[in-house]
Amino acid sequence: MNGAGVVRMPMGTRLTLVESDMRPVLAAAGFRGYEDFVRREHHDVVGGSGTTRTRRIRLGPGRDCEDYYLKAYEYRGSRWRHRWRTDKGAVEARNYRLLRERCGILVPDVVAFGSRRRGWRLLDAFILTRGVPAETTLDVLFQTRWPSAACSSRDPQRTWLLREVSGIVARMHGAGFFHVDLQWRNLLVSDDASTSRSVFVLDSPRGGLRRWTAHRAHGRIRDLSSLYKEARSRLTPAEQLRWLLWYAGERRLTDELRLVIHTILQDRAIKDRPECR
């Protein structure tokens, strides 16, 4: 972080510029005030949901332009539900800091985040992050490189990736942090020619630290179940078991791990029902 600080804004509006040296770059691209970050005219939408839109934008002079990702939240309908809550942009910025500093996990650099309220009601929020060079989400990488699990399960690059992800999840959970939406699309693989291959964790506006034992157990199953949702069709049964053993730091299947597997399968059976989608 380079000189993080809160920019003076009208009452009810908060804008935190994490990297102060980005101020002139943002201003040159038309990002001078809070409204510039949440307006809907930005192009190149790359993801979203009912309340969220993520856009890829280019910032920087000439050939030095880089990709940045601007995620904006708009809270509609019964806004009473959003009273007193910390906005998701601030939560995600905090979680990225925790993942990096407490867990030693790679995450995108946060450039700025902010929110706007009317009284106690949360109206909208945003977070701006720097892109990761040569990135591919884990699900897309497997679909492109290893469309068939059975014929490529011995690929050393594939094995390295699975072991790396298992280590990331183990460090996260060991530090008491739970992502809550740890799907393959939220794991980003960087294959930049100037650096070694790395795995980044993305999109954590709902996760965080959990201190109580039962709360941690719930978070653990949420994360493992989310990962299994894609793993069951991308990995062989042997790879799935090997991944769980790496994650748990075990050499063989224990009674505790058998219970974990049983709980994950139960969780997926409930969540995969049509009425739960």
Side-chain angles (χ1 to χ4, degrees):
M1 295 184 183
N2 300 315
V6 178
V7 180
R8 292 183 178 274
M9 301 295 294
M11 184 173 294
T13 303
R14 185 179 181 88
L15 197 166
T16 300
L17 189 60
V18 178
E19 297 187 5
S20 59
D21 56 359
M22 283 292 295
R23 189 189 300 270
V25 176
L26 291 168
F31 295 93
R32 297 180 176 85
Y34 178 86
E35 187 66 37
D36 299 320
F37 289 93
V38 296
R39 57 189 168 89
R40 301 177 66 85
E41 290 77 15
H42 298 301
H43 299 293
D44 203 6
V45 175
V46 295
S49 62
T51 60
T52 310
R53 288 292 180 274
T54 301
R55 294 171 169 83
R56 182 190 296 113
I57 59 177
R58 300 280 289 172
L59 296 174
R63 295 182 179 179
D64 294 329
C65 270
E66 294 181 293
D67 285 335
Y68 291 76
Y69 291 88
L70 177 61
K71 184 190 296 184
Y73 299 93
E74 184 178 3
Y75 300 97
R76 304 174 181 175
S78 302
R79 293 195 179 114
W80 64 268
R81 294 185 297 110
H82 308 298
R83 292 183 181 182
W84 304 293
R85 288 189 179 182
T86 304
D87 68 89
K88 288 186 176 181
V91 171
E92 189 158 20
R94 179 203 66 197
N95 285 345
Y96 280 157
R97 178 176 55 80
L98 288 170
L99 285 166
R100 175 181 282 131
E101 297 177 2
R102 186 182 179 108
C103 308
I105 292 171
L106 295 174
V107 293
D109 295 328
V110 178
V111 176
F113 61 93
S115 63
R116 180 167 48 185
R117 297 176 182 271
R118 181 175 299 136
W120 291 106
R121 295 184 301 175
L122 186 59
L123 302 180
D124 46 35
F126 79 91
I127 182 171
L128 176 67
T129 56
R130 182 177 285 106
V132 175
E135 80 278 6
T136 308
T137 57
L138 188 63
D139 58 334
V140 172
L141 179 62
F142 266 70
Q143 176 62 35
T144 304
R145 189 166 298 182
W146 302 295
S148 173
C151 67
S152 54
S153 61
R154 295 186 179 274
D155 188 319
Q157 293 185 348
R158 174 183 173 109
T159 301
W160 179 89
L161 268 175
L162 295 177
R163 186 181 283 276
E164 182 71 7
V165 171
S166 72
I168 287 172
V169 181
R171 291 201 306 275
M172 185 189 306
H173 290 176
F177 186 99
F178 301 89
H179 188 285
V180 181
D181 190 26
L182 195 59
Q183 301 191 57
W184 281 38
R185 66 170 182 261
N186 290 332
L187 292 167
L188 193 63
V189 182
S190 170
D191 199 9
D192 187 7
S194 63
T195 62
S196 59
R197 174 170 288 168
S198 305
V199 179
F200 289 69
V201 173
L202 305 177
D203 198 18
S204 183
R206 294 187 294 165
L209 294 175
R210 297 190 172 192
R211 305 191 184 281
W212 302 106
T213 301
H215 204 202
R216 287 188 174 200
H218 175 264
R220 183 189 191 197
I221 294 301
R222 284 287 299 269
D223 283 351
L224 296 180
S225 176
S226 295
L227 288 169
Y228 176 68
K229 180 180 179 180
E230 190 85 19
R232 60 190 171 184
S233 61
R234 299 290 185 197
L235 307 181
T236 65
E239 283 180 312
Q240 295 173 37
L241 177 59
R242 194 157 57 242
W243 187 94
L244 186 62
L245 292 174
W246 287 335
Y247 161 79
E250 299 285 356
R251 300 185 65 179
R252 63 183 63 185
L253 197 58
T254 63
D255 289 341
E256 181 183 354
L257 286 181
R258 287 190 176 91
L259 179 59
V260 168
I261 292 171
H262 177 70
T263 307
I264 290 171
L265 293 176
Q266 280 189 322
D267 186 72
R268 285 263 50 99
I270 293 171
K271 290 178 179 174
D272 292 337
R273 292 173 183 169
E275 62 270 21
C276 295
R277 295 175 185 173

